[in-house]
Amino acid sequence: MLKFNSIDELLLKTAGIVGKTFGELDKEGYFEKKSNDKGILGKIVETGFYGYPNNNKAEADFSELGVELKVSGFVTTKKGVWSAKERISLSQINFHKIVSEDFKFSSLISKNRKILFIWYEFIKDGDPRDFIIKDYQLYDMTGIEPVIEKDYKIIQETVKNGLAHKLSEGDSVILGAATKGGAGQTQTQPFSEIRAKTRAFSIKNSFIKGVLKEHQLNYSVSLPSELTPEEWLWNKFKKYKGMTQMELLKHLDPQSFKIKPQYNIGNMIQRRIIGKNSELEKNELFSKLTYEIKTTPITESYFPIEKPTFKPLQKDEFLDDWEISDWKIFFEESTFFYIGYLEKSTHRGNGFRKLHCLFKVTFTPEEVEEFSKTYNDIKNAVNSNDIDLLPTATKFPERYLVISTKGSGGDKCYQQFMNGEKKVCFMFNKEFIYKKFNEGLTLK
């Protein structure tokens, strides 16, 4: 068994793994013995390359250095960028133990402060024996530890409030509480008789994608003083609360101001206050977060006036089964931020609504499961090439999630979608979003 006296010594050894396949490294015959084991590739690297016996010990894999080993796959996008395939699972959450734990002394952070990623290229329908290890990366979490601690405390408080069954990955920024085990697997929680889904601490897939992208493209982003995206966002907007959209645009960019309100005035204001998405990628809180920032007109009771659409869709996104789909991860991890513009009788219509508040919306496991019905309907429609199977609001007026046309074109957009064009988008039910606005976090 190898022992390393320094991180440099560990990395020097690790450099020799690049270019190898898992079939070459499988000295213990794991592929023959445990072909259905999800952690098989990690065990092969531990035993076949580093010579470590497989274990489930609480301390880090390279405990003498405080370094944890994670073997993770990526896919290569059309632009040649590596995109991490999945979230990184850390350790199972014990609901009874976490309520009295101190984050600073928890095995979670002591074991995972430094993570050595072994990156291999995942090929769909390929043989894992032939997957090639392309790179390695030592990632130090010390710089983002304040954010992880805040995430940890959000999960901890949820359990303390007897709401472990309501945990949502979208509530936190980096550290998630991902469902673990088979379908329907649950455990007890200390302050409620309701059984909660078994969960594990994980680093969100969106964050891991950001970590790998920074590594491949050799850049880094800074952590702002605010520790949550909603704090950062509302700090940017709240100074303008009470101003109409027309007043805001005239104040922010007089040269773009016109007497007649532009139809996209909300997006114009948003870009001038927080920048484009490409600029947000320079912010640590957003560069590795799955999020949507939307502008929405609301009544005084927070009811959305316009249909809540998002994300243009392409039929190729609906080929996988729901359980392994990117869309399932998206809804599990996503945080939606809605910038609310209040409409009253004295300030009605686009351009004259007043900036009022910020809503944060995330989704419960039950809601995500409800979304699967819409995903599966789209998948069936795509597989059958049958437009009539597409889940529109007309067919499913009560469903939380449906699809709608994007821009002009009417029902022709559905045929264009089936032809491979981005002509439809997801749309939430207004009543559903109204409920989420009133039960979630609102900053004003």
Side-chain angles (χ1 to χ4, degrees):
M1 185 171 101
L2 295 173
K3 283 286 184 183
F4 299 98
N5 297 314
S6 68
I7 288 179
D8 286 342
E9 193 176 312
L10 169 63
L11 295 180
L12 184 63
K13 164 68 178 176
T14 304
I17 202 171
V18 176
K20 295 189 180 298
T21 67
F22 290 99
E24 292 176 272
L25 296 175
D26 186 17
K27 307 287 178 58
E28 302 291 327
Y30 275 104
F31 282 120
E32 282 68 36
K33 293 187 292 186
K34 299 180 179 180
S35 58
N36 294 324
D37 185 351
K38 289 184 178 180
I40 187 173
L41 301 184
K43 291 173 182 176
I44 287 171
V45 170
E46 284 183 350
T47 58
F49 184 74
Y50 291 107
Y52 274 54
N54 180 243
N55 64 76
N56 292 310
K57 58 187 180 180
E59 66 267 22
D61 290 309
F62 304 106
S63 54
E64 67 275 12
L65 303 175
V67 176
E68 178 72 354
L69 178 70
K70 293 294 179 184
V71 177
S72 190
F74 67 85
V75 293
T76 304
T77 68
K78 292 178 181 178
K79 294 181 179 180
V81 176
W82 293 353
S83 180
K85 184 175 175 290
E86 55 199 0
R87 59 172 68 90
I88 298 293
S89 184
L90 301 178
S91 58
Q92 187 161 323
I93 301 175
N94 184 321
F95 294 141
H96 295 270
K97 185 178 177 182
I98 190 177
V99 293
S100 57
E101 265 188 335
D102 186 329
F103 170 79
K104 289 181 173 60
F105 301 102
S106 67
S107 61
L108 170 73
I109 191 61
S110 61
K111 183 178 179 179
N112 296 291
R113 270 196 183 91
K114 292 185 178 70
I115 298 179
L116 177 58
F117 289 104
I118 305 295
W119 295 111
Y120 68 89
E121 186 168 17
F122 174 85
I123 307 296
K124 189 174 182 179
D125 299 324
D127 187 337
R129 293 173 175 82
D130 299 328
F131 290 168
I132 300 172
I133 294 169
K134 295 286 190 174
D135 206 352
Y136 62 95
Q137 173 187 7
L138 182 67
Y139 187 74
D140 189 341
M141 307 255 273
T142 305
I144 57 167
E145 196 168 319
V147 182
I148 296 176
E149 181 173 7
K150 192 154 190 172
D151 288 344
Y152 180 91
K153 288 179 178 177
I154 287 171
I155 296 168
Q156 186 181 53
E157 283 302 309
T158 302
V159 179
K160 283 182 178 180
N161 291 332
L163 297 172
H165 55 290
K166 294 284 188 182
L167 279 168
S168 168
E169 288 189 81
D171 290 336
S172 50
V173 180
I174 296 170
L175 185 68
T179 54
K180 186 81 170 173
Q185 186 172 324
T186 60
Q187 61 174 300
T188 60
Q189 57 175 311
F191 301 114
S192 172
E193 294 182 0
I194 301 173
R195 293 185 68 88
K197 286 192 175 185
T198 301
R199 290 183 176 268
F201 288 118
S202 66
I203 305 174
K204 293 185 183 184
N205 176 245
S206 53
F207 185 81
I208 294 302
K209 284 181 177 178
V211 168
L212 178 56
K213 185 178 179 181
E214 287 178 16
H215 174 65
Q216 185 196 10
L217 303 180
N218 194 28
Y219 74 94
S220 61
V221 295
S222 59
L223 182 66
S225 57
E226 301 93 339
L227 295 183
T228 65
E230 58 269 21
E231 289 172 347
W232 186 91
L233 276 174
W234 190 233
N235 280 347
K236 296 289 185 182
F237 277 92
K238 67 182 179 182
K239 66 185 81 170
Y240 306 114
K241 181 177 177 179
M243 293 177 67
T244 67
Q245 293 164 307
M246 293 285 278
E247 290 170 341
L248 256 169
L249 185 59
K250 188 174 183 179
H251 172 76
L252 294 167
D253 189 355
Q255 292 183 335
S256 296
F257 178 77
K258 296 180 181 179
I259 300 300
K260 185 179 179 180
Q262 293 99 315
Y263 78 97
N264 63 337
I265 191 169
N267 290 332
M268 292 174 69
I269 292 167
Q270 179 178 314
R271 287 196 300 271
R272 283 154 180 78
I273 292 178
I274 61 173
K276 299 178 181 178
N277 285 343
S278 58
E279 295 174 70
L280 281 180
E281 287 186 6
K282 299 172 184 175
N283 182 313
E284 183 75 69
L285 294 175
F286 291 93
S287 66
K288 305 181 184 74
L289 179 73
T290 302
Y291 69 93
E292 290 283 318
I293 303 174
K294 309 296 290 183
T295 294
T296 182
I298 53 172
T299 66
E300 289 185 85
S301 66
Y302 295 164
F303 193 86
I305 293 170
E306 297 176 354
K307 59 183 185 181
T309 59
F310 65 99
K311 284 286 186 188
L313 306 178
Q314 201 153 17
K315 71 173 188 177
D316 290 349
E317 300 170 330
F318 298 89
L319 301 178
D320 291 328
D321 290 339
W322 167 252
E323 287 300 323
I324 60 170
S325 69
D326 290 339
W327 279 114
K328 182 174 187 287
I329 294 176
F330 172 83
F331 286 117
E332 286 176 335
E333 294 192 353
S334 277
T335 304
F336 278 65
F337 302 103
Y338 287 91
I339 302 157
Y341 285 90
L342 188 64
E343 177 164 300
K344 290 185 177 182
S345 58
T346 54
H347 42 271
R348 295 176 62 86
N350 192 41
F352 303 99
R353 297 151 179 158
K354 292 184 177 181
L355 178 63
H356 185 65
C357 61
L358 175 75
F359 302 104
K360 176 186 177 183
V361 173
T362 61
F363 309 107
T364 67
E366 291 75 23
E367 290 163 351
V368 172
E369 192 58 35
E370 179 69 19
F371 298 157
S372 71
K373 298 175 183 177
T374 297
Y375 177 92
N376 287 327
D377 283 346
I378 300 172
K379 185 175 187 290
N380 290 336
V382 169
N383 289 340
S384 307
N385 196 29
D386 188 346
I387 292 176
D388 291 335
L389 296 178
L390 289 172
T392 63
T394 304
K395 296 173 190 172
F396 300 100
E398 303 300 320
R399 191 175 278 188
Y400 293 166
L401 181 71
V402 290
I403 64 170
S404 177
T405 56
K406 179 178 179 287
S408 60
D411 288 345
K412 291 180 181 178
C413 292
Y414 295 119
Q415 182 58 59
Q416 290 171 308
F417 166 74
M418 298 298 274
N419 292 339
E421 298 180 49
K422 289 188 175 182
K423 288 294 184 177
V424 303
C425 55
F426 275 134
M427 181 176 77
F428 289 125
N429 179 294
K430 282 186 181 181
E431 293 286 350
F432 172 67
I433 286 297
Y434 174 60
K435 176 178 77 77
K436 298 300 290 185
F437 283 174
N438 281 279
E439 70 181 17
L441 174 68
T442 305
L443 297 177
K444 57 185 179 179

